[in-house]
């Protein structure tokens, strides 16, 4: 019933900017931590940024001071503002949400389908 849909991935030259968004549809009781992960070709998926229920943010060292994560619409949407993009930022970016859907279920993780970001030299 609950789905996460990412958008905003594109081809951009180094130094450019992109804004990714992830919209949560359906009904949930509470949205806890939300985050963005990415997977580059031949690499394992890694955490890029996360934002907690209380608003605390965490960033990978490789993107600190360049990327900004934020939420809106009662935490139904999470954004990733990416500036000063580098070729090494290339990869598929996945939205992750840790949610409790209702009182009958415990908190669990949900994932989007991914959106591709390609940064050319």
């Amino acid at each position: 019933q609950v789905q996460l849909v990412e958008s905003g991935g594109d081809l951009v030259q180094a130094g450019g900017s992109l804004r990714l968004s992830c919209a949560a549809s359906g009904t949930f009781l509470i949205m806890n931590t939300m985050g963005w992960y990415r997977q580059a070709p031949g690499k394992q998926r890694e955490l890029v940024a996360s934002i907690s229920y209380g608003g605390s943010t965490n960033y990978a060292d490789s993107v600190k001071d360049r990327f900004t994560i934020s939420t809106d619409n009662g935490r139904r949407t999470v954004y990733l503002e990416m500036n000063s993009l580098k070729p090494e930022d290339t990869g598929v970016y996945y939205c992750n949400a840790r949610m409790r859907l209702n009182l009958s279920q415990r908190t669990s993780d949900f994932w989007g389908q991914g959106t591709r970001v390609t940064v050319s030299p």
Side-chain angles (χ1 to χ4, degrees):
Q1 293 181 10
V2 173
Q3 297 185 57
L4 302 177
V5 180
E6 304 102 327
S7 63
D10 206 349
L11 170 65
V12 64
Q13 293 190 16
S17 300
L18 285 174
R19 188 187 190 188
L20 307 183
S21 64
C22 173
S25 63
T27 302
F28 59 86
L29 180 64
I30 189 169
M31 180 75 74
N32 296 120
T33 301
M34 302 188 74
W36 288 94
Y37 292 73
R38 70 185 179 191
Q39 187 166 19
K43 302 291 185 179
Q44 293 190 333
R45 187 176 300 185
E46 64 175 350
L47 174 67
V48 177
S50 65
I51 183 167
S52 72
Y53 177 81
S56 298
T57 57
N58 185 50
Y59 298 92
D61 289 340
S62 61
V63 307
K64 188 177 181 180
D65 298 324
R66 297 190 297 119
F67 292 9
T68 302
I69 187 170
S70 62
T71 61
D72 201 359
N73 301 316
R75 294 177 63 82
R76 284 189 172 273
T77 305
V78 60
Y79 304 95
L80 185 67
E81 183 72 33
M82 304 185 294
N83 299 309
S84 301
L85 284 163
K86 304 175 181 179
E88 48 264 46
D89 294 319
T90 293
V92 178
Y93 285 68
Y94 298 90
C95 176
N96 168 261
R98 187 165 296 170
M99 294 182 285
R100 187 175 188 180
L101 300 183
N102 52 63
L103 292 175
S104 299
Q105 298 182 243
R106 65 174 60 189
T107 299
S108 57
D109 284 308
F110 295 82
W111 294 88
Q113 81 289 343
T115 184
R116 186 177 297 276
V117 173
T118 303
V119 184
S120 63

